[in-house]
Amino acid sequence: MRIGLFGGSFDPFHNGHLRPVREAQRALRLERVIYLPTARPPHKPGRQAVPAWARYVMVELALLREPGMFVSPFELTPGRPAYTIDSLEHFRRAFPDDQLVLLLGADNFAQLDSWKRWRELPELALLAVLARPGEAEQGLAGGWPPELRELAATDRVEFVANRPVETSSTELRRLLAAGGEPPAGAMPRLVLEYVRKYSLYR
């Protein structure tokens, strides 16, 4: 079985977190995709996020009708950051006979060399980079550090083209905090209803 892993803060969860993953699920023939909401993102140490449990619920609501997509509480680690290497080691132990596929945005791949024990990640999982048109070409042409360009040329990295989704978590937080209306189709309906019911951003 091929299992995709997709982490993030999901603050709030929006369709930019869903549509590219759907496309990768089809393109890579992933039987299962596991979302990993992170309690404390290591690369966002200064930002106060909505409580981790509330972001977990947002992901669960968004995935209720998505075949083969699930959410895991593994990275809801109170008091400390959650590192991708720890998650991959955990799921490698949990699924020793299956292939793990780590789903990454091209922006995250561009910063991969700053991640904890990053050179070990492609040993544990295929890295699937979700790239908008032109992103991979720009990175390979010199936009990424040399070591990442070398990695991208190996069989441990696969690029998955996806259509741009012009949705920003930062902009959605601003709109929701001001009592505004997100753009039509920006967020799954149940997620938006949950955010409003509990005034998560106000």
Side-chain angles (χ1 to χ4, degrees):
M1 183 164 60
R2 301 189 95 195
I3 300 172
L5 301 172
F6 185 57
S9 53
F10 307 118
D11 187 24
F13 190 99
H14 56 72
N15 282 326
H17 298 131
L18 184 57
R19 291 176 190 167
V21 176
R22 276 191 197 135
E23 293 175 10
Q25 184 183 30
R26 288 193 294 268
L28 299 171
R29 298 178 182 175
L30 303 175
E31 287 92 341
R32 182 181 299 184
V33 175
I34 300 173
Y35 279 72
L36 295 163
T38 302
R40 289 184 57 192
H43 297 285
K44 302 176 183 177
R47 185 168 68 76
Q48 184 65 39
V50 160
W53 57 265
R55 292 183 282 112
Y56 179 94
V57 171
M58 282 191 246
V59 180
E60 182 67 90
L61 290 172
L63 301 183
L64 279 176
R65 297 179 180 175
E66 295 294 330
M69 291 189 180
F70 303 88
V71 58
S72 166
F74 180 75
E75 290 193 358
L76 300 183
T77 49
R80 64 177 179 84
Y83 293 101
T84 300
I85 186 66
D86 298 327
S87 298
L88 288 185
E89 289 178 335
H90 166 77
F91 285 101
R92 170 51 55 225
R93 290 191 295 271
F95 302 104
D97 300 322
D98 298 312
Q99 182 182 19
L100 300 181
V101 181
L102 180 64
L103 305 176
L104 297 166
D107 54 342
N108 284 325
F109 184 79
Q111 303 171 17
L112 195 69
D113 58 352
S114 68
W115 291 21
K116 179 181 177 182
R117 293 168 54 196
W118 72 273
R119 292 180 181 85
E120 298 174 44
L121 300 179
E123 298 173 9
L124 294 167
L126 174 70
L127 307 185
V129 181
L130 313 182
R132 297 181 179 192
E135 278 187 312
E137 291 79 5
Q138 291 172 10
L140 290 166
W144 296 329
E147 204 167 356
L148 290 182
R149 295 202 302 271
E150 291 177 14
L151 173 60
T154 71
D155 62 1
R156 300 308 300 158
V157 176
E158 187 163 341
F159 293 97
V160 181
N162 62 72
R163 295 164 292 166
V165 178
E166 300 302 333
T167 303
S168 158
S169 292
T170 301
E171 180 62 17
L172 287 174
R173 288 194 298 271
R174 186 191 67 78
L175 281 170
L176 293 166
E181 185 72 19
M187 298 173 66
R189 180 182 57 81
L190 287 177
V191 174
L192 182 56
E193 290 179 9
Y194 175 72
V195 165
R196 285 174 171 161
K197 179 175 181 177
Y198 291 98
S199 301
L200 293 181
Y201 294 94
R202 299 189 70 181

